[in-house]
Amino acid sequence: MRSKEMRRLGFCLLMLVVLVLTGCGGEEHDYLCRFTFNTLFHPTSKIVTAVTAPGYFVWIEMERKNGIWHVKVHPADQSGDEDIPLATDEENIVTYELGAYNGIILGSTNFNGPIAFDRQCPNCLQNTGMFNSPLTWSKKTMEVECDRCDHSYSLETGANLQGGPRLMQYVVRVNANNITVMN
């Protein structure tokens, strides 16, 4: 092959490697995540702030009370939790699944926009196979930590700061009417 063809082939191979390594934002794993939040019904929720304000994060859990889904929102800045009843038929017909520990961490990074992670510590899950290690807010900005194994994770990148498995990441889609988190 000529030099020009070799460079072109090398560039194509490099682009293929980059595409494989970066993926599409979500990761393949066995924990189902299916969450949709109608922003028209709840425009002032901290969930809306989480996907629009870089550096702002919440963790979300779901609970069913008296036949109605409730979204429990816990902001990292400790500004007060929200309990949002999903009172419309449209919201209650959906089956919500929030990953390995019935919890997702949702926010917006400084460089990559909206992002969502599973609230289960991946290090404990990998090492013990148990689903009882929820991540909690760290005193450091943009980090969560596991009280069980003392590992910390960056919310900007999902990286395990002590080395080891990264946070399990989900795909986030935001449009004028909905915020959707899924895998």
Side-chain angles (χ1 to χ4, degrees), residues 13 17 21 24 32 38 40 58-60 68 72 82 92 109 113 116 118 128 140 150 157 159 166 168 176 178:
L13 288 173
V17 168
L21 291 177
C24 63
L32 184 60
N38 190 313
L40 295 177
V58 298
W59 64 263
I60 300 168
I68 295 176
K72 307 284 189 153
E82 290 180 328
N92 273 284
T109 67
D118 199 292
T128 68
K140 296 179 183 173
D150 293 324
T157 64
R166 300 171 43 82
M168 293 180 281
N178 291 301

Side-chain angles (χ1 to χ4, degrees), residues 6 12 29-30 42 46 52 62 104 107 113 139 142 148 165:
M6 289 293 290
C12 289
H29 45 75
D30 296 330
H42 314 282
K46 294 176 182 184
T52 58
M62 298 295 296
I104 55 174
K139 291 179 182 169
M142 302 284 291
R148 183 172 297 251

Side-chain angles (χ1 to χ4, degrees), residues 1 14 19-21 23 29 42 51 56 62-63 75 86 90 98 110 113 131 143 145-146 152 154 156 159 168 183:
M1 277 194 224
L14 175 64
L19 287 172
V20 167
L21 291 177
H29 45 75
H42 314 282
V51 297
Y56 187 85
M62 298 295 296
E63 181 179 40
L86 303 181
E90 178 184 322
L98 297 183
N110 293 304
F131 301 98
E143 286 184 20
E145 60 192 10
C146 177
S152 315
S154 165
E156 187 72 48
M168 293 180 281
N183 50 346

